[in-house]
Amino acid sequence: MSVKRNIPAGTVVLPAAVSMGLLAAALCFAGTAQLMVIKELPVSIAPLLATIPVCSGSLVGGAVFAFFKKERGLLNGLLQGTVFAAVLMLITLSSGGTLSPLQGARIAAAVVCGGIGGFGGMKLREKPRGRGKHLVA
């Protein structure tokens, strides 16, 4: 008889999802940097533009985490978003910054985008039901 060994999903899936989210964020950071150069945007709007890559990385990471975890997508996506928000908060605090209301909104946006990604990851996982079974002539 073979023994089925289940690997806890958090030990493998969470680092993989964080890595995919970081890759998506890095690609978006490169895109926003290119946009700033092409459009000659001032450096003062860089923090606002940085919100887009962080949220997109959180969304992708949440979707990947929920897709491979196979259960509780919204909760897993919120967990992934919280990881991104914690990293964002640690970077802000370690660079000598303080948590302003705008920074709090960015952190909340990262958590919400992770939840949206988790919900989307679960929807990608579902099989279509009942479509095309009963055709009316």
Side-chain angles (χ1 to χ4, degrees):
M1 223 194 267
S2 66
V3 176
K4 184 176 180 182
R5 294 183 186 182
N6 289 332
I7 299 171
T11 60
V12 175
V13 176
L14 184 60
V18 170
S19 299
M20 291 297 291
L22 287 175
L23 178 65
L27 291 174
C28 284
F29 270 120
T32 55
Q34 186 68 24
L35 175 73
M36 286 184 68
V37 169
I38 289 173
K39 296 292 182 179
E40 297 176 3
L41 298 174
V43 178
S44 61
I45 68 162
L48 291 175
L49 286 178
T51 306
I52 296 167
V54 169
C55 287
S56 65
S58 178
L59 187 122
V60 168
V64 169
F65 190 51
F67 184 81
F68 287 115
K69 184 80 179 222
K70 303 177 186 173
E71 59 184 16
R72 289 178 265 161
L74 184 62
L75 185 63
N76 290 326
L78 289 173
L79 174 67
Q80 177 70 26
T82 304
V83 169
F84 267 81
V87 169
L88 188 62
M89 190 169 25
L90 287 174
I91 290 171
T92 301
L93 294 176
S94 68
S95 65
T98 59
L99 291 178
S100 65
L102 184 59
Q103 189 67 20
R106 289 182 192 140
I107 289 170
V111 172
V112 168
C113 285
I116 291 170
F119 183 75
M122 283 303 295
K123 287 297 181 183
L124 286 174
R125 188 83 182 159
E126 289 180 359
K127 294 179 182 175
R129 294 182 249 170
R131 293 187 182 171
K133 286 185 179 179
H134 306 286
L135 295 176
V136 177

